[in-house]
Amino acid sequence: MNNHSHSPAAAEAILADLTAAVQRYFGLHIWEATPINRGWLNLKWHIRTEEGTYLLKQYNQKRFALCDPADLAVAFSEQARLHAAGLPCPMLFAHDGRFLLESAHG
């Protein structure tokens, strides 16, 4: 179910902001971004870069305010540990040891 409260123009602006962040943090250029219209409030895209295809997720600021960032950090670290141990768990990108990153516009 798609409950996004973003207009198409707002979603495009968010994607442009995230595209700049992906390039700044990881040096990757997004060649193609396909929206995934599932989930609750968060925006997601399949992105294609020179390094491969990935999922890009934007946490909704209102929903994120309900979360404890320390709990999310533990969950992301655990997912990275499981992936490194060879379990079928998606690989997460980190920058300076952090998995949850902010774009220029938050």
Side-chain angles (χ1 to χ4, degrees):
M1 178 185 212
N2 180 358
N3 291 323
H4 297 154
S5 59
H6 299 91
S7 69
E12 284 297 318
I14 291 168
L15 178 58
D17 183 41
L18 295 179
T19 296
V22 166
Q23 184 172 357
R24 183 175 68 250
Y25 287 122
F26 305 111
L28 297 174
H29 298 88
I30 296 176
W31 293 343
E32 181 180 6
T34 305
I36 300 169
N37 294 315
R38 294 187 165 277
W40 182 64
L41 297 179
N42 298 324
L43 296 176
K44 294 174 280 307
W45 295 265
H46 279 122
I47 59 169
R48 192 168 62 85
T49 74
E50 67 272 18
E51 296 292 325
T53 301
Y54 305 101
L55 173 79
L56 177 62
K57 184 175 185 176
Q58 179 261 352
Y59 279 87
N60 179 279
Q61 290 176 342
K62 290 179 185 174
R63 184 174 180 200
F64 181 72
L66 302 174
C67 298
D68 181 350
D71 289 343
L72 284 175
V74 169
F76 294 147
S77 294
E78 224 12 60
Q79 182 171 334
R81 187 186 67 76
L82 293 172
H83 176 80
L87 282 106
C89 198
M91 180 186 77
L92 298 176
F93 281 77
H95 180 76
D96 290 337
R98 294 178 29 239
F99 295 103
L100 188 62
L101 306 169
E102 278 195 45
S103 63
H105 297 287

